[in-house]
Amino acid sequence: MSDFIEPRNLIPLLPAVRDMLASETHRLHHAVWHDVRGQWTNLSEGKRDSIRALGWQPGHDLERPAVKRGAPIVDNGSGEDFLFMHREMIQMVHEIYDAEGMPRLAGWSAVPPPGGNPALGFDVPPNWMQDHQPTMRRLAALKTDEYFWTAMRGWDRQFKNAAYLSTLSLGALGATLEYTVHNDMHMRWSSVPRDPSTGDPVPNGRLPTDFDSKWLDSTYDFLGEFYSSHVNPVFWSLHGWVDDRIEDWFAAHDVAHPGEVERVVLDGIQWFKPGRWVSDEKPWVRPEMQGGGHGGHHGGHGETHDLDPEQMREVIRTLYAPETELHGFGAPDTVAPARNTWFLT
């Protein structure tokens, strides 16, 4: 039995926040949004058409997948979508803390180094045995002290460096952050997923099409999966760190390129006008046909307008369905993953 104490037992979220984030709608939205962006270029046209018919293609008029051939796409605005969607999530949670008169959740000022105070909830969980050996070895490497000092420490400094940030568009910032330190932080601080009904380890993770109600339990907060990561308190520390990099980016451009990046309030979120360094007028958060406006899901205190859980489940079933003529899908460009990809792209 591991001595590791889960963050929810050390730095718990407010019950109102925890229960909102653990709800089916919030879980499905976070999973669908990430999955369609990450898998879009690997899907057959038949699958894409099915997802388009449901309104869940990534982007608005112009589709904006996040990855192609395993590499992040830095010039199509998908990185802006990543930053805006999570900034909106942070504001949604902040509003509940404000309403209850509690201090807001704070992001890390720096990626926590090894050997910190475990009582803070940021101890690195141990690795675990699983069937997929490459994933197990990758996790083992991510959790080492050496990986922090040789990779994460450098990223922490790089994404605060004004000279570097002033060379990046907002989309390039988001895409590069997402597929480097952000994904690795998710996996470094992930602990073995467990069946919430029994507490038993599920080493290979929940199947992405398993929508049993047991997975809605708030103790299912596995940091490595889109369906559950946002229920984990560490999510808000690491995403607070990511969000602060947006402000570093703005400050860097304000000095290097005065007046070229202008602030604007978009759907109640502090954002930036399109221009030389910002490409999109309306970042993609959800289908426009569900709720209108700029595609935002935020309705105050965690409301999600009319997001349809069954529709989102159908998107996930389509993503993970076999690519066979029996299912009405043609051959993909490359084979889509048979299991949840976690934050390992």
Side-chain angles (χ1 to χ4, degrees):
M1 175 69 80
S2 171
D3 293 330
F4 178 74
I5 302 174
E6 294 291 341
R8 64 177 172 271
N9 296 319
L10 293 170
I11 49 171
L13 299 171
L14 278 178
V17 170
R18 178 201 63 206
D19 294 345
M20 173 193 70
L21 297 172
S23 70
E24 181 181 41
T25 300
H26 277 270
R27 288 183 185 273
L28 286 168
H29 176 249
H30 195 244
V32 169
W33 186 87
H34 271 285
D35 264 347
V36 295
R37 294 172 67 252
Q39 297 189 37
W40 193 252
T41 58
N42 283 346
L43 301 178
S44 67
E45 197 60 24
K47 283 194 173 190
R48 292 176 191 163
D49 283 343
S50 294
I51 293 170
R52 289 179 184 120
L54 294 166
W56 270 102
Q57 71 278 6
H60 298 289
D61 297 332
L62 295 176
E63 292 171 1
R64 296 197 290 268
V67 184
K68 187 172 184 179
R69 298 188 184 92
I73 302 173
V74 300
D75 59 359
N76 71 346
S78 64
E80 294 179 22
D81 296 339
F82 168 74
L83 295 173
F84 184 88
M85 194 277 262
H86 290 91
R87 173 163 280 199
E88 187 179 81
M89 289 179 69
I90 290 169
Q91 179 165 309
M92 174 182 64
V93 167
H94 280 172
E95 286 180 359
I96 299 178
Y97 274 82
D98 291 347
E100 297 204 11
M102 299 295 290
R104 291 182 170 188
L105 296 176
W108 288 325
S109 59
V111 181
N117 183 355
L120 296 177
F122 305 135
D123 206 9
V124 176
N127 197 21
W128 64 92
M129 296 294 295
Q130 57 174 286
D131 292 343
H132 193 246
Q133 291 297 308
T135 297
M136 190 171 72
R137 290 195 295 270
R138 172 114 165 87
L139 281 172
L142 286 175
K143 291 173 177 292
T144 62
D145 290 4
E146 290 79 8
Y147 191 80
F148 173 84
W149 295 114
T150 59
M152 287 188 162
R153 173 82 163 193
W155 279 327
D156 185 89
R157 291 174 171 176
Q158 179 182 16
F159 286 111
K160 295 173 181 174
N161 184 290
Y164 170 67
L165 294 174
S166 68
T167 68
L168 298 179
S169 68
L170 184 60
L173 172 69
T176 307
L177 270 171
E178 181 177 7
Y179 286 96
T180 55
V181 64
H182 161 266
N183 283 7
D184 284 358
M185 285 194 292
H186 267 270
M187 298 313 301
R188 179 175 172 86
W189 274 276
S190 64
S191 57
V192 60
R194 294 180 181 274
D195 184 323
S197 64
T198 64
D200 294 334
V202 185
N204 300 317
R206 180 193 69 94
L207 291 175
T209 54
D210 181 356
F211 302 119
D212 190 287
S213 61
K214 69 182 180 181
W215 301 109
L216 300 179
D217 191 285
S218 63
T219 61
Y220 185 60
D221 59 1
F222 174 47
L223 197 60
E225 186 197 353
F226 306 130
Y227 192 76
S228 51
S229 62
H230 59 292
V231 189
N232 192 306
V234 173
F235 177 96
W236 302 95
S237 299
L238 74 85
H239 271 281
W241 180 92
V242 170
D243 193 72
D244 286 344
R245 304 291 72 77
I246 302 173
E247 295 306 308
D248 289 347
W249 171 87
F250 174 76
H253 278 280
D254 205 35
V255 171
H257 311 108
E260 292 189 9
V261 178
E262 297 182 66
R263 290 190 184 272
V264 68
V265 177
L266 179 61
D267 290 343
I269 308 299
Q270 290 290 333
W271 204 240
F272 310 98
K273 292 182 180 180
R276 177 183 175 189
W277 302 99
V278 180
S279 66
D280 292 325
E281 182 179 355
K282 48 182 181 181
W284 179 71
V285 176
R286 55 178 278 134
E288 283 193 304
M289 64 190 230
Q290 298 178 319
H294 287 290
H297 77 280
H298 179 58
H301 301 311
E303 296 174 12
T304 51
H305 297 297
D306 59 350
L307 282 172
D308 182 349
E310 179 52 33
Q311 189 177 64
M312 292 187 286
R313 284 192 291 267
E314 185 59 27
V315 173
I316 292 174
R317 292 187 193 106
T318 300
L319 283 168
Y320 291 94
E323 290 276 13
T324 65
E325 302 216 354
L326 178 65
H327 290 83
F329 304 127
D333 298 330
T334 59
V335 178
R339 51 166 276 172
N340 199 308
T341 55
W342 295 356
F343 287 84
L344 288 171
T345 302

